[in-house]
Each structure stands twice: as structure tokens, then as C-alpha cells.
Amino acid sequence: LSLAAPPKEPVLMCRSNNYPKGFYCSWHLPTPTYIPNSFNISVIHGTREMVCEKNVFPKNRCHIRYLQLFSTVKYKVTLTVTNALGKNSTTFTFDEFAIVKPDPPESVVAKPVPNNPRRLEVSWQNPSSWPDPESFPLKFFLRYRPLILDQWQHVELSDGTSHTITDAFAGKEYIIQVAAKDNDIGTWSDWSVAVHATPWTEEPKHLTTEAQITETTSASTSSFMPPPTTKICDKGAVVGSGAVAVCWTAGLVLAAYGVLFI
Amino acid sequence: MAAPDSSSTSLRHRDLCSRGIRLAGKMRSDVVDLLDTYVERQGLDASASVAAVEGLPVAAVERWDEQTGTQRLLENLAAYRAFRVLLAQMLEEQREQLGEAAVALCQGLAAVLLQVSAFTYHLEELLQLETHGPLSEETALPPVPSHLGLFERKLWGLGVLRELAQWAVRSARDLRQLAKPSPSSSSASSPVDSP
């Protein structure tokens, strides 16, 4: 059996994720009352009372259109909650710029860069709720780390919706997120959905080559043994920039042996 | 030749807009720093309310998205010409004060005044390019209130700097609107869609 209670002071927040169109306020009660409550919200800007259009869903939210921009006059939002046992209210006063907080960037994609074992290419899009990114451009904050480490690397970007990470650890899976903020005002968005990516790594081609030679020469009476003067291509000689290191001396010798056994 | 002229005009317009946006951004950053210094040195509460001041250009605007390019430039120019006078007055008053606090404020005010003057000149160039005509003379500005007590003068200064910070943000937005390609730069831009 739950005891009905009068409402405690409601929790109220206001935010503009679609500046300069407007802002919304949403609220909730910190503890349930177990009986129906009604909410009344008033929004005052200077001497003007503004209309807060209630949402169908979620119910505890309403939207206000900006009638003025660039005002130094504060907004005052008062929320009153009433039920059969009492009422309570809270007031939130704020500047136009202070509540501007975009939604996180969307469609974050991270891809390896072919032949580049230390690079990852990241791209994203402006949040679809931000109405005019051309006149109200966003800047971005990218964070990334290998899964095996706890410390994030951060990059702030004032232009564009892509970035190439150039210092990734080769072969390690990375987790990457992006946040957005209006270029001039407000606060950073929440972090985007995390994406994972691993930088490009080269296939071990020299092992494949030796295996193939061993197969083709298995019919001969002597096993293949490179002459002592042959330069063997080792892993360290493979350049990470993507150029395939070719050991010409070994190549010529192998070709010569190949011809002998045809 | 018409084509090269309009092309070079267009390039100049784009260049002035992008430089103006950078100037406005730097100015805003310095005004915000100056505001912090001012509040601290004058012993004020940062959240203090300031009554409306006669002669102070207010950045607040209705139907901002419907303004034409020329309207934007004219309002910006009138505002910064007024700020040039107001900041000069503030600077003169600070110079009469003694002490380290006054010196720090003087330096900050002088730096911002220089930027406001540069931005005013920049707007004048843009407006001449936009309207292809001579600029209007500066209209006489209302006198700075002289009857205020010491505390009221401090609040008045706070109001000036706050409004200047808002204008710097608005100016960057105005110039970005101006920089958008349109068939005619003097025509009204389309209103923002309803939510």
C-alpha cells in the first residue's frame, strides 16, 4: 500500500537544441505522489509572457519559440505542480545563450585507411535537430582511445565534419566518440554513440610466398634451401607506409630456382 | 567589363564577410575577458541586473532571420559607432581613477575600443560595397549620463560591456547570413521554418 503524498519541489530543466528556433523545458517529480498531478508552466521574458506549447509525448515537456534573439534580458520559467494534497513549485532563470546545447553528432563512422597502419578516418554529420548549421555553425570535439587503455585522446575541430586520426596504435581496436557545440555560445552536447575501428594492417605476404614455393617444389628430391648469399626479406623491412618492400636479390634467386624445377 | 567587376565584387564581399566574422569572434572573446575583469575590479556581482540605459544600442532583435543584408549592416554600424563613443567615455573615466585596478581596466578597454573602431571601419567598407553609395553621416548620439552616482556608473559600464558582448555574437551571425549566396544581397532572406 503506497501512501498518497503532496508533491515535492519538481525538477525543471530548459534547453535549446534547435537554436535559434526555440527551446524546451522538461520536468519531473523527484519522488512519486501516487495520485494524479497537474503541471502549470509560465515563461516570462522581461515583461512579456510567452506561450509554452505542451508536447503530446513526452507529456512532461513543452516548447517555446524565440521571439527575440541576442537579448540580455533573462528568461524566468516557473513550474507549479498541484495535486489533491498540495502544491509545490520551482523557478529557473537563465540567459538565452546559457541553455544552448545541441544534440550529439549523428552517423559517426570510423574506417581504417588502406596502407596506413596508424590512421583512422572519422566522419559524422550535424545533428538533424540543428536547423541552420550554415549561419549557426557547430564545432566538434572528438575523443578516441584503444580499448586496452583508459585514457582518451582529445581533438577540438572548428571546421568540417571529418578528421583523420594519425597516431593510432597499429593493430589495436579503437573506440571513438564526437560531441558538438555552437561555435560561439552554449555548452557541449552529450557524446555521440561510440563507434569502433581498427587501423589497417598488412597481410603477412612473405609467409604465403614461402608456403607456395614449398608446395611447388615438394616433388623434387631435395628440399628448397636458399643459398647463404640470398637476402631474406624480414618483417622489419616491410614499410608501414604501404610500399611493399621487395628484396630483389631473393626474388631473382627464387625465380632462378623456379625455372630449374619446371 | 561587368562580369569581372561583379566577380571581383563578389570575392571582395566574401573576403570582407569572412574577415569580419573572425574580427567579431576575437572581439567577443576579448569583451568576455574584459567583463570578468570589470566585474572583479569594480566589486560587482556578475549576475547583477542592469536597468535599460538610454543611448545603449540593444542587440536584441525580433524576426532576425527576415532582415535584409542592408538592414543588418546598418544596424550593426549604428551600434558600433555608439559603442565607440561609450567605450571612449568609459576609458576616460578609468584614466581618472588611481590604482592597479584602474590600470588593468584601462588596458582592457583600450584594446576593445581599438577592435570596435576596426570593426566599425570594416562594416563601413561592407556597407559601401553592398549599397554602392556613400555612407550616411554619423547621427548625433545621446549624451552619456552624467548625473549617476559612483555605483550607478559602475552598473552602467557593466551594461555597456554586456550589450557589446551580445552584439559581437549577433554580428558574426549577421555576417554569416550576409555571406550566404543569394540572388540579391539586399533581398530579405527566407524566414526560418516553423518548428
Side-chain angles (χ1 to χ4, degrees), chain B residues 61-161:
Chain B
V61 60
E62 295 191 11
R63 298 194 176 89
W64 172 83
D65 53 313
E66 295 173 18
Q67 288 194 324
T68 65
T70 305
Q71 271 175 309
R72 293 178 194 282
L73 287 172
L74 285 170
E75 289 187 17
N76 272 266
L77 187 55
Y80 286 96
R81 279 173 172 170
F83 279 119
R84 211 165 41 183
V85 172
L86 295 169
L87 288 172
Q89 176 72 21
M90 283 178 73
L91 185 56
E92 197 182 306
E93 285 178 6
Q94 283 304 314
R95 280 179 177 149
E96 291 167 6
Q97 305 294 320
L98 297 170
E100 200 188 299
V103 169
L105 277 177
C106 279
Q107 286 172 344
L109 281 165
V112 166
L113 178 55
L114 198 59
Q115 290 183 65
V116 165
S117 298
F119 195 67
T120 306
Y121 178 72
H122 201 84
L123 290 169
E124 286 168 353
E125 278 198 67
L126 253 173
L127 191 58
Q128 276 191 310
L129 200 66
E130 193 86 0
T131 58
H132 311 290
L135 289 174
S136 57
E137 294 293 317
E138 287 193 40
T139 53
L141 296 163
V144 174
S146 55
H147 57 278
L148 300 175
L150 179 62
F151 183 68
E152 283 79 16
R153 289 203 82 78
K154 288 181 180 182
L155 283 182
W156 171 82
L158 180 64
V160 170
L161 294 177

Side-chain angles (χ1 to χ4, degrees), chain A residues 19 21 48 65 67-72 74 97 132 134-137 182-185, chain B residues 28 59-64 162-163 166 169-170 173 176-177 180-181 192-195:
Chain A
Y19 189 81
K21 279 190 181 176
R48 194 189 285 192
R65 286 198 75 172
L67 298 175
Q68 268 189 348
L69 291 180
F70 315 112
S71 174
T72 52
K74 290 184 190 293
F97 293 170
D132 188 4
E134 215 180 320
S135 303
F136 297 83
D182 177 87
N183 213 45
D184 301 310
I185 63 175
Chain B
R28 197 231 170 177
V61 60
E62 295 191 11
R63 298 194 176 89
W64 172 83
R162 273 187 187 158
E163 210 59 54
Q166 299 295 99
V169 175
R170 177 178 163 180
R173 312 290 197 191
R176 284 195 194 103
Q177 286 289 92
K180 278 183 182 176
V192 175
D193 292 339
S194 336

Side-chain angles (χ1 to χ4, degrees), chain A residues 158-196:
Chain A
S158 56
D159 224 348
T161 53
S162 64
H163 177 69
T164 303
I165 295 166
T166 57
D167 60 351
F169 292 118
K172 301 299 177 209
E173 186 180 350
Y174 272 75
I175 179 168
I176 299 140
Q177 290 177 292
V178 192
K181 181 185 167 301
D182 177 87
N183 213 45
D184 301 310
I185 63 175
T187 57
W188 288 99
S189 72
D190 293 341
W191 290 107
S192 69
V193 169
V195 295
H196 292 243

Side-chain angles (χ1 to χ4, degrees), chain A residues 25-105:
Chain A
C25 294
S26 62
W27 55 88
H28 66 271
L29 287 172
T31 53
T33 60
Y34 302 105
I35 54 174
N37 305 294
S38 66
F39 295 88
N40 185 51
I41 192 162
S42 82
V43 182
I44 312 277
H45 184 227
T47 55
R48 194 189 285 192
E49 178 143 12
M50 302 175 76
V51 173
C52 196
E53 292 170 20
K54 285 226 173 122
N55 260 32
V56 173
F57 182 80
K59 287 193 308 185
N60 61 337
R61 185 181 287 199
C62 66
H63 293 259
I64 302 99
R65 286 198 75 172
Y66 281 121
L67 298 175
Q68 268 189 348
L69 291 180
F70 315 112
S71 174
T72 52
V73 174
K74 290 184 190 293
Y75 290 83
K76 183 176 163 185
V77 179
T78 302
L79 176 75
T80 305
V81 55
T82 309
N83 69 16
L85 297 178
K87 70 198 294 189
N88 212 324
S89 68
T90 190
T91 297
F92 178 32
T93 305
F94 55 87
D95 290 314
E96 176 186 321
F97 293 170
I99 62 163
V100 175
K101 179 181 174 181
D103 288 327

